[in-house]
Amino acid sequence: MTIEAPTLIEDEALTIPDQGQYLRWTPIVLGAFVATAFNFTLVTFGVAIGLGVSSTSPTWRDASIALSLLSGLYLILQALVSFGLGGYIAGRVRGDIDATSSAEGEMRDGLHGLAAWALAVLLGAVLAGIVSAAPVNRASSPTTLANNTVAEPLLSYELDRLLRSSRRSANADISAERAEAGRILMTSSSHNGVNGDDRTYLIQQIQALTSLSAGDSERRVDQALASSKTAIAHARRSTIVLAFSLAAATLLGAVSAWAAAVAGGRHRDGAPLPEWMAFADRLEPKRTAAP
């Protein structure tokens, strides 16, 4: 007599949960879109109220270091809020996955928030690239593109003062001379500064373009070199603040997205927040029973 073995394989197959779909891209994309839109809104608002980290306006370069630090702090805070909101949405609408432990569910919620953060960063980079490329696309001609240098947006005010003349015709084209003067002024921030030959050549060019005397042309060039060196130093300081603020905002945004996604998953499941996140419960005074 033979005894048939029970078909445990089929029964076990019916009870094993589906673990194939570890990430769900619908909540990730939704959270990334919300984070990008909210981030863009807050950045635009910050620029509108004067909290932009950098600007091409000459008046910005006269701003104090406190304003630069405040602008960088605002960039970090808005990143925490934006990425936190996107991460919370990604964790909140992820949907429950059966047969997962509390630690595993928290890990999956956090990964969804982190994925939403990464996608939002990429979307923000693409949007920033499109906005930055817009002025280049509005250039009038290839000649204008060739004559424009990095000195033009940075030292436009110094170049205006350097080449200002009431005797020159309004239709005179000095774009080539302006670009050349800008490249010379850019060397004022170097270790050795502007060499003597470039300074002499620039004085002669100013004298020919503005019909000033040699002494007046020399004084104007010296003032332009000193102003350019100061402007470049301020712009470099703003660039350092911008780079540090962007790096800190991006990294802290990842932490915010992870934590917010975990909180969203807890709210979705009706579970209390983890101990490292339950600040409100610790701050609330303990209630005493009524006599």
Side-chain angles (χ1 to χ4, degrees):
M1 184 177 66
T2 60
I3 300 175
E4 296 180 357
T7 58
L8 295 178
I9 297 179
E10 296 180 358
D11 296 337
E12 291 178 356
L14 295 176
T15 59
I16 295 178
D18 184 12
Q19 302 292 337
Q21 194 175 5
Y22 198 89
L23 291 178
R24 299 185 177 182
W25 287 102
T26 300
I28 291 175
V29 173
L30 177 61
F33 281 167
V34 172
T36 304
F38 205 69
N39 185 33
F40 180 78
T41 303
L42 291 180
V43 169
T44 305
F45 175 76
V47 173
I49 64 176
L51 289 179
V53 180
S54 62
S55 174
T56 58
S57 174
T59 57
W60 168 261
R61 298 175 309 208
D62 298 331
S64 62
I65 185 65
L67 181 58
S68 300
L69 295 177
L70 181 62
S71 302
L73 180 61
Y74 176 80
L75 186 63
I76 294 175
L77 291 179
Q78 62 86 20
L80 290 175
V81 174
S82 302
F83 291 123
L85 179 61
Y88 179 85
I89 292 176
R92 184 68 174 81
V93 303
R94 181 177 71 91
D96 190 18
I97 297 180
D98 298 332
T100 56
S101 62
S102 176
E104 179 65 19
E106 181 176 326
M107 174 66 70
R108 294 192 179 190
D109 290 331
L111 287 177
H112 277 73
L114 193 64
W117 162 83
L119 183 57
V121 170
L122 294 178
L123 291 175
V126 172
L127 183 62
I130 294 175
V131 173
S132 301
V136 178
N137 294 332
R138 290 196 299 266
S140 58
S141 63
T143 305
T144 304
L145 288 175
N147 291 332
N148 285 339
T149 62
V150 70
E152 186 59 37
L154 178 61
L155 302 177
S156 57
Y157 180 65
E158 283 72 17
L159 288 171
D160 289 340
R161 294 189 60 185
L162 180 64
L163 299 172
R164 187 177 299 165
S165 176
S166 58
R167 301 180 181 180
R168 185 172 57 245
S169 173
N171 297 327
D173 184 13
I174 58 169
S175 57
E177 290 81 0
R178 183 183 178 92
E180 186 179 16
R183 289 189 290 269
I184 295 176
L185 292 182
M186 287 295 294
T187 61
S188 61
S189 63
S190 62
H191 180 70
N192 296 324
V194 179
N195 59 53
D197 294 338
D198 289 340
R199 180 178 175 273
T200 302
Y201 174 77
L202 189 57
I203 293 173
Q204 294 173 354
Q205 286 291 95
I206 298 304
Q207 186 176 2
L209 293 172
T210 61
S211 301
L212 293 175
S213 63
D216 292 339
S217 299
E218 183 177 3
R219 283 190 293 270
R220 180 177 287 193
V221 168
D222 291 338
Q223 291 175 359
L225 292 176
S227 300
S228 300
K229 185 176 182 179
T230 303
I232 294 172
H234 288 177
R236 186 174 298 164
R237 180 193 65 190
S238 300
T239 302
I240 294 174
V241 174
L242 174 62
F244 177 81
S245 301
L246 283 176
T250 304
L251 294 178
L252 293 178
V255 178
S256 177
W258 179 286
V262 172
R266 291 276 180 155
H267 291 164
R268 177 200 64 223
D269 300 334
L273 294 178
E275 295 182 359
W276 58 274
M277 198 182 296
F279 298 106
D281 295 339
R282 297 171 184 170
L283 295 177
E284 291 181 358
K286 295 182 179 179
R287 298 179 180 179
T288 57

